[in-house]
């Protein structure tokens, strides 16, 4: 069975500091991984997906199959990045999307 | 495009009562998900539909929860009877297809069972 682990419930940084939100997964097969974000009073929405290899709002995430990780990084955090971040894994069989417990990112001025 | 619509936004019921939630996915989206999100946790999949067929309901407590997606469009999720531990936000999401497609979420229904 697939599993997504986000070890930090809360990550608090100052504006301009680098950010790394950790995500580890367990899955027997080739994973498809995503980061979803939920800003205050807004819907859960897709931030980025690993196959796109894109940078969204300055965030990047690299899939490391050896370490089974998909950490989300940003070199310089902004106050508007404050939100809940969820790592998610898409299984190939049923295409079930499994979420981690989430990490709250707080960026202080 | 219009997003995923859910109603009601909030519901308070007593334990052992019944409750139903409604979801209207984005037009043309074949896949529909219902998630339960308990406070402090990530969304947990309850049931996934592909058109009007169920593809995964392994985590749905079938003794009290039921869901249907008649005609492959709107969906309802029912709890009967509700327990205190069912207090959560119930999220509906939809996607175009099953493989590597973005899931779009509704705003959720916050259920409080007292």
């Amino acid at each position: 069975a697939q599993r997504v682990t986000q070890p930090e419930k809360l990550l608090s940084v100052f504006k301009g500091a680098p950010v790394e939100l950790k995500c580890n997964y367990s899955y027997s097969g080739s994973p498809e991984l995503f980061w979803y974000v939920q800003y205050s009073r807004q819907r859960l929405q897709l931030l980025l997906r690993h196959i796109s290899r894109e940078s969204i709002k300055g965030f990047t995430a690299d899939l490391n199959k050896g370490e089974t990780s998909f950490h989300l990084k940003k070199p310089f955090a902004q106050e508007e990045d404050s939100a809940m971040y969820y790592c998610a894994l898409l299984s190939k069989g049923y295409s079930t999307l499994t979420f981690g417990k989430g990490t709250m990112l707080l960026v202080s001025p | 495009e219009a997003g995923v619509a859910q109603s009601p936004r909030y519901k308070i019921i007593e334990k052992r009562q019944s409750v139903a939630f409604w979801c209207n996915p984005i037009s043309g989206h074949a896949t529909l998900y219902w998630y339960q999100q308990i406070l402090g946790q990530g969304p947990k999949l309850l049931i996934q539909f592909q058109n009007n067929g169920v593809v995964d309901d392994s985590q749905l407590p079938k003794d009290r929860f039921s869901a249907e997606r008649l005609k492959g469009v709107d969906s309802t999720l029912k709890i009967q009877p509700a327990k205190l531990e069912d207090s959560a936000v119930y999220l509906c999401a939809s996607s175009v297809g099953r493989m590597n497609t973005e899931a779009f979420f509704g705003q959720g229904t916050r259920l409080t069972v007292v």
Side-chain angles (χ1 to χ4, degrees), chain B residues 75-96:
Chain B
S75 178
T76 56
L77 176 69
K78 297 179 182 178
I79 307 175
Q80 179 179 8
K83 294 185 175 182
L84 296 177
E85 58 261 36
D86 298 332
S87 294
V89 175
Y90 290 84
L91 295 168
C92 179
S94 69
S95 65
V96 171

Side-chain angles (χ1 to χ4, degrees), chain B residues 2-75:
Chain B
V4 176
Q6 289 188 247
S7 66
R9 288 292 310 278
Y10 306 92
K11 190 74 177 179
I12 300 175
I13 62 172
E14 294 182 350
K15 59 184 180 184
R16 291 187 289 273
Q17 284 188 323
S18 302
V19 65
F21 313 126
W22 174 80
C23 173
N24 186 14
I26 293 173
S27 177
H29 281 196
T31 303
L32 185 146
Y33 308 85
W34 281 104
Y35 285 88
Q36 179 192 58
Q37 187 171 21
I38 293 172
L39 187 64
Q41 298 184 21
K44 170 189 157 187
L45 181 69
L46 292 175
I47 189 167
Q48 178 180 340
F49 292 94
Q50 182 71 13
N51 297 308
N52 61 347
V54 175
V55 296
D56 186 356
D57 63 357
S58 57
Q59 297 191 87
L60 186 75
K62 299 180 185 63
D63 58 333
R64 298 185 299 106
F65 286 65
S66 64
E68 59 183 11
R69 191 183 183 197
L70 299 176
K71 300 181 182 178
V73 182
D74 294 7
S75 178

Side-chain angles (χ1 to χ4, degrees), chain A residues 27-68:
Chain A
Y27 181 61
S28 56
S30 185
E32 293 184 34
L33 288 152
F34 305 80
W35 277 98
Y36 279 78
V37 61
Q38 188 167 25
Y39 301 102
S40 179
R41 296 194 178 92
Q42 294 189 27
R43 304 173 184 219
L44 193 59
Q45 59 186 285
L46 179 68
L47 179 62
L48 55 80
R49 66 192 85 188
H50 91 270
I51 68 159
S52 300
R53 297 185 172 273
E54 56 199 346
S55 173
I56 303 293
K57 299 183 179 183
F59 285 97
T60 59
D62 291 318
L63 178 61
N64 186 323
K65 291 186 178 180
E67 296 182 359
T68 60

